[in-house]
Amino acid sequence: MNKLKVIAFDADDTLWVNEPYFQEVENKFCEMMEDYHPQHTISRELLKIEIANLSLYGYGVKGYILSMIEAALHISGKTISIEAIEKILDLGKEMLEKPIELLDGVEEVLQQLQGKYRLVVATKGDLLDQERKLKKSGLEKYFHHIEIMSDKQEADYQKLISHLDIAPEEFMMIGNSLKSDVLPVLKLGGIGVHVPYHTTWAHETVEHKVEHANFYEFTHANEVLAIL
């Protein structure tokens, strides 16, 4: 790890809790709509609409709210009530106002690494929402650079690495998603560290086993300290 200069962290479900809030709201949405279809059918339809809308809305709560409204209209045959639409909007606002719950050990890891490496947040999502969460988290002081990314493909990471003026082998990415946080970085020649979270959005799951010289997988973020 002698060449390593920058360590980047995903935010949602790597630094703080996120996906359980989406699952909680999805369950409430499915309960709202169960007069029309079974809950598993509603959940599947919502996911399909979410994925179709990613290119329009990007990632984050605001796009999720719009996708829920679209799903409600589609599932109900456009008979959904104004009161139900208002309830969906309220659910979205509740998500945006959730307190920030840091994952265990995350701040201690940042304290250990600060000053030894340049620390970066590299996360997808809505700019305003992610900036708000970072500020509320109390972790902003540890980071040299904050990158709110519209997506996490190879080209997006290449742009970030070029902006940081480093080579791919000088870059490590730590995150809970193999698809978004690890595989694109490995393809570029960087180091990918997977710290799984107990729940993962279906769109982010990867079925195949990852085998790569620059790949590490840990149960907790503090385990990364052993390889640095």
Side-chain angles (χ1 to χ4, degrees):
M1 297 289 176
N2 292 338
K3 291 182 178 180
L4 187 62
K5 291 181 179 178
V6 173
I7 301 178
F9 289 80
D10 174 50
D12 294 334
D13 299 318
T14 297
L15 297 178
W16 51 66
V17 174
N18 181 67
E19 181 59 23
Y21 299 148
F22 279 83
Q23 293 191 350
E24 179 185 320
V25 167
E26 181 177 323
N27 289 336
K28 291 179 180 178
F29 175 75
C30 290
E31 288 171 7
M32 281 175 54
M33 303 299 297
E34 65 183 350
D35 286 346
Y36 298 97
H37 290 293
Q39 292 194 18
H40 66 274
T41 303
I42 295 164
S43 182
R44 188 170 62 243
E45 187 64 26
L46 175 59
L47 177 62
K48 185 169 72 174
I49 289 172
E50 275 186 89
I51 292 171
N53 284 337
L54 284 176
S55 61
L56 293 173
Y57 305 143
Y59 296 83
V61 175
K62 293 172 189 173
Y64 186 59
I65 296 168
L66 290 170
S67 291
M68 279 196 293
I69 292 171
E70 182 178 339
L73 290 167
H74 178 72
I75 290 164
S76 71
K78 297 184 180 180
T79 63
I80 194 75
S81 69
I82 293 298
E83 289 75 20
I85 298 295
E86 287 178 339
K87 178 60 177 174
I88 292 170
L89 292 171
D90 287 341
L91 288 173
K93 288 176 182 177
E94 285 175 22
M95 291 177 73
L96 290 168
E97 293 167 357
K98 286 280 189 183
I100 302 303
E101 182 183 346
L102 297 181
L103 296 186
D104 289 343
V106 160
E107 186 158 17
E108 291 81 357
V109 170
L110 296 174
Q111 288 169 345
Q112 291 281 332
L113 297 177
Q114 191 180 35
K116 298 176 183 176
Y117 303 93
R118 278 191 284 166
L119 303 182
V120 168
V121 172
T123 188
K124 291 188 291 193
D126 176 75
L127 177 62
L128 185 63
D129 188 31
Q130 295 293 47
E131 287 180 338
R132 177 192 59 80
K133 287 194 283 188
L134 187 60
K135 188 172 183 179
K136 286 176 69 174
S137 74
L139 300 180
E140 193 173 12
K141 61 193 175 193
Y142 296 108
F143 293 103
H144 167 269
H145 179 74
I146 314 298
E147 189 79 10
I148 313 297
M149 307 163 79
S150 58
D151 205 351
K152 283 183 169 179
Q153 305 291 333
E154 284 180 66
D156 302 293
Y157 282 107
Q158 184 59 66
K159 182 179 176 181
L160 173 59
I161 289 168
S162 298
H163 177 73
L164 294 168
D165 196 25
I166 57 171
E169 59 267 24
E170 298 171 323
F171 180 81
M172 173 186 283
M173 180 69 197
I174 300 173
N176 68 297
S177 169
L178 286 170
K179 181 178 178 180
S180 293
D181 301 320
V182 172
L183 295 179
V185 173
L186 294 177
K187 288 178 181 178
L188 287 171
I191 302 159
V193 177
H194 185 220
V195 183
Y197 190 60
H198 63 84
T199 57
T200 302
W201 186 32
H203 186 56
E204 294 289 344
T205 55
V206 170
E207 300 300 329
H208 66 275
K209 183 176 175 59
V210 178
E211 294 184 1
H212 194 287
N214 288 349
F215 173 66
Y216 299 87
E217 187 167 56
F218 300 120
T219 305
H220 299 288
N222 58 12
E223 294 174 51
V224 76
L225 299 173
I227 64 170
L228 297 172

